Amino acid sequence: MTSVPVTIGRRPAAVAAHVAGEPRELVDGFGRVHRDLRISLTDKCSLRCTYCMPAEGVEWLAKSSILSTDDMVRIAHIAADWGITTIRLTGGEPLLRPDVVDIVRRIAAIEGVNGPMQVAMTTNGIRLPELMEPLAAAGLHRLNISLDTVRPDRFHELTRRNKFDAVAEGIRAAQKSGLRPLKINAVAMRGVNDDELVDLVEFALAHDAQMRFIEQMPLDAGHTWDRQTMVTQEEILATLRSRFRLTPVPGRGGAPAELWTIDDTPHTVGVIASVTAPFCGACDRLRLTADGQLRNCLFSLGEYDLMPILRAGGGDDELAEMLRLCIANKLPGHGINDPSFLQPDRGMNAIGG
């Protein structure tokens, strides 16, 4: 993985000084306007999912390299000034961060050029029973909870932890919170949980949640991803149609999931088909890792290091320039289907979802 401290790429005009009176937007060389910033609060996780992390020997980020809460909130303010409207807090597992409620409260209070900041979170749900009420009171707007199986024994095998009941309790706490839409994410895996796709949808419906299936992507720390074991969007839909009547929902925009209504009801199911049906042309996302690296794509091989600016007492203009530089050099797509594709060195836990 490379950090990029200087200007690179083909469109230096895209990072020229901002002209007074022009709209503040993070626009890349392909006209994509960026509205969504993902901030990873930590690379640590309370689970060890087989498709994400090895069972042992994980090298965690040094505590001294992790962004402080003040750093994160400062960057969020700058991002809001440049048109970001949603910040999603991720990990690792974001609820492991001791000051997570304070982070939510401070970011939710931000007013940007496009209005109040929306704060979302992706979590495994284990700590939600104790934190759901404080998070909602702090201003959290939306939740995505990861759950790949509804079978406790299989959950234990997949995550290497006996925590199914804790996750289920967390989902119930989220359901009671009233935060909507509530989404449950599952990575579909051949020979692992592809026999549970209908069960997972029914579980989500029972908890007033939207089920979203994700095609397995080459982001595991062990680099063991195999296209042959990936369950495709086409296969997912074929399985679901054996039980449900699915109708496409128009107007996807920049959302990563395509949606279908279930049996002509208001309930929907989504599929994130990053591999077989990439949505890069409408991508509006930017990522900040827990150690201060900006990434313009989940699969990027380069990063833009904010730490030298932060540690040297640099100004907000310098940080804003790095955001704009990062976006200006965004490629048209992730290239998973290109023969020259290289998997990022970082695993998903260290990048943030």
PDB file of all heavy atoms in Angstrom, residues 230-251:
ATOM      1  N   MET A 230     -17.725 -17.462  -4.949  1.00  0.00           N
ATOM      2  CA  MET A 230     -18.585 -16.292  -4.802  1.00  0.00           C
ATOM      3  C   MET A 230     -19.982 -16.588  -5.347  1.00  0.00           C
ATOM      4  O   MET A 230     -20.135 -17.098  -6.451  1.00  0.00           O
ATOM      5  CB  MET A 230     -17.984 -15.122  -5.569  1.00  0.00           C
ATOM      6  CG  MET A 230     -18.738 -13.821  -5.406  1.00  0.00           C
ATOM      7  SD  MET A 230     -18.161 -12.600  -6.604  1.00  0.00           S
ATOM      8  CE  MET A 230     -18.866 -13.271  -8.112  1.00  0.00           C
ATOM      9  N   VAL A 231     -21.002 -16.276  -4.558  1.00  0.00           N
ATOM     10  CA  VAL A 231     -22.384 -16.411  -5.009  1.00  0.00           C
ATOM     11  C   VAL A 231     -22.760 -15.109  -5.708  1.00  0.00           C
ATOM     12  O   VAL A 231     -22.662 -14.025  -5.122  1.00  0.00           O
ATOM     13  CB  VAL A 231     -23.334 -16.684  -3.831  1.00  0.00           C
ATOM     14  CG1 VAL A 231     -24.765 -16.879  -4.324  1.00  0.00           C
ATOM     15  CG2 VAL A 231     -22.876 -17.914  -3.054  1.00  0.00           C
ATOM     16  N   THR A 232     -23.179 -15.182  -6.954  1.00  0.00           N
ATOM     17  CA  THR A 232     -23.446 -13.985  -7.745  1.00  0.00           C
ATOM     18  C   THR A 232     -24.830 -13.411  -7.469  1.00  0.00           C
ATOM     19  O   THR A 232     -25.710 -14.089  -6.921  1.00  0.00           O
ATOM     20  CB  THR A 232     -23.343 -14.301  -9.244  1.00  0.00           C
ATOM     21  OG1 THR A 232     -24.421 -15.190  -9.611  1.00  0.00           O
ATOM     22  CG2 THR A 232     -22.015 -14.955  -9.587  1.00  0.00           C
ATOM     23  N   GLN A 233     -25.016 -12.173  -7.874  1.00  0.00           N
ATOM     24  CA  GLN A 233     -26.330 -11.537  -7.750  1.00  0.00           C
ATOM     25  C   GLN A 233     -27.397 -12.362  -8.455  1.00  0.00           C
ATOM     26  O   GLN A 233     -28.502 -12.545  -7.920  1.00  0.00           O
ATOM     27  CB  GLN A 233     -26.290 -10.132  -8.345  1.00  0.00           C
ATOM     28  CG  GLN A 233     -27.654  -9.444  -8.404  1.00  0.00           C
ATOM     29  CD  GLN A 233     -27.569  -8.041  -8.959  1.00  0.00           C
ATOM     30  OE1 GLN A 233     -27.537  -7.075  -8.192  1.00  0.00           O
ATOM     31  NE2 GLN A 233     -27.524  -7.903 -10.271  1.00  0.00           N
ATOM     32  N   GLU A 234     -27.100 -12.863  -9.645  1.00  0.00           N
ATOM     33  CA  GLU A 234     -28.065 -13.659 -10.394  1.00  0.00           C
ATOM     34  C   GLU A 234     -28.499 -14.890  -9.615  1.00  0.00           C
ATOM     35  O   GLU A 234     -29.690 -15.239  -9.571  1.00  0.00           O
ATOM     36  CB  GLU A 234     -27.456 -14.074 -11.735  1.00  0.00           C
ATOM     37  CG  GLU A 234     -28.387 -14.846 -12.645  1.00  0.00           C
ATOM     38  CD  GLU A 234     -27.756 -15.193 -13.976  1.00  0.00           C
ATOM     39  OE1 GLU A 234     -26.669 -14.663 -14.288  1.00  0.00           O
ATOM     40  OE2 GLU A 234     -28.344 -16.008 -14.714  1.00  0.00           O
ATOM     41  N   GLU A 235     -27.539 -15.541  -8.964  1.00  0.00           N
ATOM     42  CA  GLU A 235     -27.863 -16.730  -8.173  1.00  0.00           C
ATOM     43  C   GLU A 235     -28.676 -16.364  -6.938  1.00  0.00           C
ATOM     44  O   GLU A 235     -29.611 -17.087  -6.556  1.00  0.00           O
ATOM     45  CB  GLU A 235     -26.577 -17.445  -7.763  1.00  0.00           C
ATOM     46  CG  GLU A 235     -25.822 -18.077  -8.922  1.00  0.00           C
ATOM     47  CD  GLU A 235     -24.471 -18.626  -8.475  1.00  0.00           C
ATOM     48  OE1 GLU A 235     -23.602 -17.826  -8.085  1.00  0.00           O
ATOM     49  OE2 GLU A 235     -24.304 -19.869  -8.509  1.00  0.00           O
ATOM     50  N   ILE A 236     -28.323 -15.260  -6.304  1.00  0.00           N
ATOM     51  CA  ILE A 236     -29.060 -14.816  -5.121  1.00  0.00           C
ATOM     52  C   ILE A 236     -30.525 -14.565  -5.470  1.00  0.00           C
ATOM     53  O   ILE A 236     -31.451 -15.034  -4.790  1.00  0.00           O
ATOM     54  CB  ILE A 236     -28.421 -13.547  -4.530  1.00  0.00           C
ATOM     55  CG1 ILE A 236     -27.034 -13.868  -3.952  1.00  0.00           C
ATOM     56  CG2 ILE A 236     -29.319 -12.932  -3.447  1.00  0.00           C
ATOM     57  CD1 ILE A 236     -26.211 -12.631  -3.613  1.00  0.00           C
ATOM     58  N   LEU A 237     -30.748 -13.829  -6.551  1.00  0.00           N
ATOM     59  CA  LEU A 237     -32.114 -13.506  -6.951  1.00  0.00           C
ATOM     60  C   LEU A 237     -32.897 -14.748  -7.356  1.00  0.00           C
ATOM     61  O   LEU A 237     -34.092 -14.867  -7.050  1.00  0.00           O
ATOM     62  CB  LEU A 237     -32.090 -12.494  -8.091  1.00  0.00           C
ATOM     63  CG  LEU A 237     -31.548 -11.099  -7.734  1.00  0.00           C
ATOM     64  CD1 LEU A 237     -31.488 -10.231  -8.976  1.00  0.00           C
ATOM     65  CD2 LEU A 237     -32.412 -10.443  -6.650  1.00  0.00           C
ATOM     66  N   ALA A 238     -32.225 -15.678  -8.033  1.00  0.00           N
ATOM     67  CA  ALA A 238     -32.912 -16.907  -8.431  1.00  0.00           C
ATOM     68  C   ALA A 238     -33.386 -17.681  -7.213  1.00  0.00           C
ATOM     69  O   ALA A 238     -34.509 -18.218  -7.186  1.00  0.00           O
ATOM     70  CB  ALA A 238     -31.981 -17.763  -9.288  1.00  0.00           C
ATOM     71  N   THR A 239     -32.558 -17.742  -6.189  1.00  0.00           N
ATOM     72  CA  THR A 239     -32.944 -18.436  -4.961  1.00  0.00           C
ATOM     73  C   THR A 239     -34.111 -17.733  -4.274  1.00  0.00           C
ATOM     74  O   THR A 239     -35.079 -18.372  -3.841  1.00  0.00           O
ATOM     75  CB  THR A 239     -31.746 -18.526  -3.993  1.00  0.00           C
ATOM     76  OG1 THR A 239     -30.705 -19.295  -4.599  1.00  0.00           O
ATOM     77  CG2 THR A 239     -32.146 -19.184  -2.682  1.00  0.00           C
ATOM     78  N   LEU A 240     -34.031 -16.416  -4.175  1.00  0.00           N
ATOM     79  CA  LEU A 240     -35.097 -15.667  -3.498  1.00  0.00           C
ATOM     80  C   LEU A 240     -36.412 -15.767  -4.259  1.00  0.00           C
ATOM     81  O   LEU A 240     -37.487 -15.818  -3.645  1.00  0.00           O
ATOM     82  CB  LEU A 240     -34.685 -14.206  -3.332  1.00  0.00           C
ATOM     83  CG  LEU A 240     -33.469 -13.929  -2.433  1.00  0.00           C
ATOM     84  CD1 LEU A 240     -33.228 -12.437  -2.326  1.00  0.00           C
ATOM     85  CD2 LEU A 240     -33.638 -14.546  -1.056  1.00  0.00           C
ATOM     86  N   ARG A 241     -36.347 -15.813  -5.574  1.00  0.00           N
ATOM     87  CA  ARG A 241     -37.578 -15.896  -6.371  1.00  0.00           C
ATOM     88  C   ARG A 241     -38.277 -17.247  -6.236  1.00  0.00           C
ATOM     89  O   ARG A 241     -39.441 -17.381  -6.609  1.00  0.00           O
ATOM     90  CB  ARG A 241     -37.253 -15.598  -7.832  1.00  0.00           C
ATOM     91  CG  ARG A 241     -36.990 -14.115  -8.096  1.00  0.00           C
ATOM     92  CD  ARG A 241     -36.839 -13.819  -9.580  1.00  0.00           C
ATOM     93  NE  ARG A 241     -36.742 -12.373  -9.792  1.00  0.00           N
ATOM     94  CZ  ARG A 241     -35.687 -11.759 -10.318  1.00  0.00           C
ATOM     95  NH1 ARG A 241     -34.616 -12.472 -10.691  1.00  0.00           N
ATOM     96  NH2 ARG A 241     -35.684 -10.448 -10.472  1.00  0.00           N
ATOM     97  N   SER A 242     -37.574 -18.228  -5.691  1.00  0.00           N
ATOM     98  CA  SER A 242     -38.229 -19.506  -5.433  1.00  0.00           C
ATOM     99  C   SER A 242     -39.215 -19.403  -4.277  1.00  0.00           C
ATOM    100  O   SER A 242     -40.073 -20.275  -4.095  1.00  0.00           O
ATOM    101  CB  SER A 242     -37.181 -20.580  -5.114  1.00  0.00           C
ATOM    102  OG  SER A 242     -36.568 -20.336  -3.850  1.00  0.00           O
ATOM    103  N   ARG A 243     -39.101 -18.309  -3.504  1.00  0.00           N
ATOM    104  CA  ARG A 243     -39.977 -18.116  -2.338  1.00  0.00           C
ATOM    105  C   ARG A 243     -40.776 -16.816  -2.406  1.00  0.00           C
ATOM    106  O   ARG A 243     -41.922 -16.752  -1.967  1.00  0.00           O
ATOM    107  CB  ARG A 243     -39.126 -18.140  -1.062  1.00  0.00           C
ATOM    108  CG  ARG A 243     -39.820 -17.686   0.210  1.00  0.00           C
ATOM    109  CD  ARG A 243     -40.989 -18.581   0.608  1.00  0.00           C
ATOM    110  NE  ARG A 243     -41.594 -18.114   1.835  1.00  0.00           N
ATOM    111  CZ  ARG A 243     -42.485 -17.123   1.912  1.00  0.00           C
ATOM    112  NH1 ARG A 243     -42.857 -16.460   0.808  1.00  0.00           N
ATOM    113  NH2 ARG A 243     -42.987 -16.754   3.080  1.00  0.00           N
ATOM    114  N   PHE A 244     -40.178 -15.756  -2.981  1.00  0.00           N
ATOM    115  CA  PHE A 244     -40.802 -14.445  -2.966  1.00  0.00           C
ATOM    116  C   PHE A 244     -41.034 -13.934  -4.393  1.00  0.00           C
ATOM    117  O   PHE A 244     -40.329 -14.310  -5.319  1.00  0.00           O
ATOM    118  CB  PHE A 244     -39.919 -13.422  -2.235  1.00  0.00           C
ATOM    119  CG  PHE A 244     -39.493 -13.823  -0.860  1.00  0.00           C
ATOM    120  CD1 PHE A 244     -38.176 -14.202  -0.601  1.00  0.00           C
ATOM    121  CD2 PHE A 244     -40.392 -13.831   0.197  1.00  0.00           C
ATOM    122  CE1 PHE A 244     -37.761 -14.563   0.663  1.00  0.00           C
ATOM    123  CE2 PHE A 244     -39.992 -14.197   1.478  1.00  0.00           C
ATOM    124  CZ  PHE A 244     -38.676 -14.573   1.710  1.00  0.00           C
ATOM    125  N   ARG A 245     -41.990 -13.034  -4.528  1.00  0.00           N
ATOM    126  CA  ARG A 245     -42.179 -12.310  -5.773  1.00  0.00           C
ATOM    127  C   ARG A 245     -41.412 -10.996  -5.647  1.00  0.00           C
ATOM    128  O   ARG A 245     -41.706 -10.166  -4.781  1.00  0.00           O
ATOM    129  CB  ARG A 245     -43.658 -12.042  -6.028  1.00  0.00           C
ATOM    130  CG  ARG A 245     -43.954 -11.354  -7.349  1.00  0.00           C
ATOM    131  CD  ARG A 245     -45.443 -11.319  -7.664  1.00  0.00           C
ATOM    132  NE  ARG A 245     -46.240 -10.720  -6.605  1.00  0.00           N
ATOM    133  CZ  ARG A 245     -46.941 -11.407  -5.692  1.00  0.00           C
ATOM    134  NH1 ARG A 245     -46.924 -12.730  -5.692  1.00  0.00           N
ATOM    135  NH2 ARG A 245     -47.652 -10.782  -4.763  1.00  0.00           N
ATOM    136  N   LEU A 246     -40.424 -10.795  -6.506  1.00  0.00           N
ATOM    137  CA  LEU A 246     -39.545  -9.637  -6.423  1.00  0.00           C
ATOM    138  C   LEU A 246     -39.822  -8.677  -7.580  1.00  0.00           C
ATOM    139  O   LEU A 246     -39.919  -9.085  -8.735  1.00  0.00           O
ATOM    140  CB  LEU A 246     -38.077 -10.073  -6.471  1.00  0.00           C
ATOM    141  CG  LEU A 246     -37.611 -11.066  -5.402  1.00  0.00           C
ATOM    142  CD1 LEU A 246     -36.130 -11.367  -5.574  1.00  0.00           C
ATOM    143  CD2 LEU A 246     -37.893 -10.538  -3.993  1.00  0.00           C
ATOM    144  N   THR A 247     -39.909  -7.397  -7.240  1.00  0.00           N
ATOM    145  CA  THR A 247     -40.131  -6.360  -8.237  1.00  0.00           C
ATOM    146  C   THR A 247     -39.043  -5.299  -8.099  1.00  0.00           C
ATOM    147  O   THR A 247     -38.844  -4.763  -6.993  1.00  0.00           O
ATOM    148  CB  THR A 247     -41.510  -5.696  -8.045  1.00  0.00           C
ATOM    149  OG1 THR A 247     -42.522  -6.704  -8.058  1.00  0.00           O
ATOM    150  CG2 THR A 247     -41.770  -4.674  -9.142  1.00  0.00           C
ATOM    151  N   PRO A 248     -38.308  -4.984  -9.182  1.00  0.00           N
ATOM    152  CA  PRO A 248     -37.227  -3.990  -9.081  1.00  0.00           C
ATOM    153  C   PRO A 248     -37.734  -2.632  -8.604  1.00  0.00           C
ATOM    154  O   PRO A 248     -38.812  -2.191  -8.990  1.00  0.00           O
ATOM    155  CB  PRO A 248     -36.686  -3.899 -10.506  1.00  0.00           C
ATOM    156  CG  PRO A 248     -37.135  -5.152 -11.183  1.00  0.00           C
ATOM    157  CD  PRO A 248     -38.436  -5.525 -10.546  1.00  0.00           C
ATOM    158  N   VAL A 249     -36.928  -1.986  -7.767  1.00  0.00           N
ATOM    159  CA  VAL A 249     -37.226  -0.632  -7.297  1.00  0.00           C
ATOM    160  C   VAL A 249     -36.407   0.340  -8.128  1.00  0.00           C
ATOM    161  O   VAL A 249     -35.172   0.259  -8.138  1.00  0.00           O
ATOM    162  CB  VAL A 249     -36.883  -0.473  -5.804  1.00  0.00           C
ATOM    163  CG1 VAL A 249     -37.126   0.973  -5.352  1.00  0.00           C
ATOM    164  CG2 VAL A 249     -37.696  -1.443  -4.948  1.00  0.00           C
ATOM    165  N   PRO A 250     -37.027   1.274  -8.856  1.00  0.00           N
ATOM    166  CA  PRO A 250     -36.267   2.215  -9.675  1.00  0.00           C
ATOM    167  C   PRO A 250     -35.622   3.307  -8.822  1.00  0.00           C
ATOM    168  O   PRO A 250     -35.900   3.442  -7.635  1.00  0.00           O
ATOM    169  CB  PRO A 250     -37.333   2.805 -10.605  1.00  0.00           C
ATOM    170  CG  PRO A 250     -38.603   2.717  -9.808  1.00  0.00           C
ATOM    171  CD  PRO A 250     -38.482   1.450  -8.982  1.00  0.00           C
ATOM    172  N   GLY A 251     -34.733   4.075  -9.447  1.00  0.00           N
ATOM    173  CA  GLY A 251     -34.158   5.232  -8.774  1.00  0.00           C
ATOM    174  C   GLY A 251     -33.079   4.903  -7.776  1.00  0.00           C
ATOM    175  O   GLY A 251     -33.039   5.468  -6.687  1.00  0.00           O
TER     176      GLY A 251
END
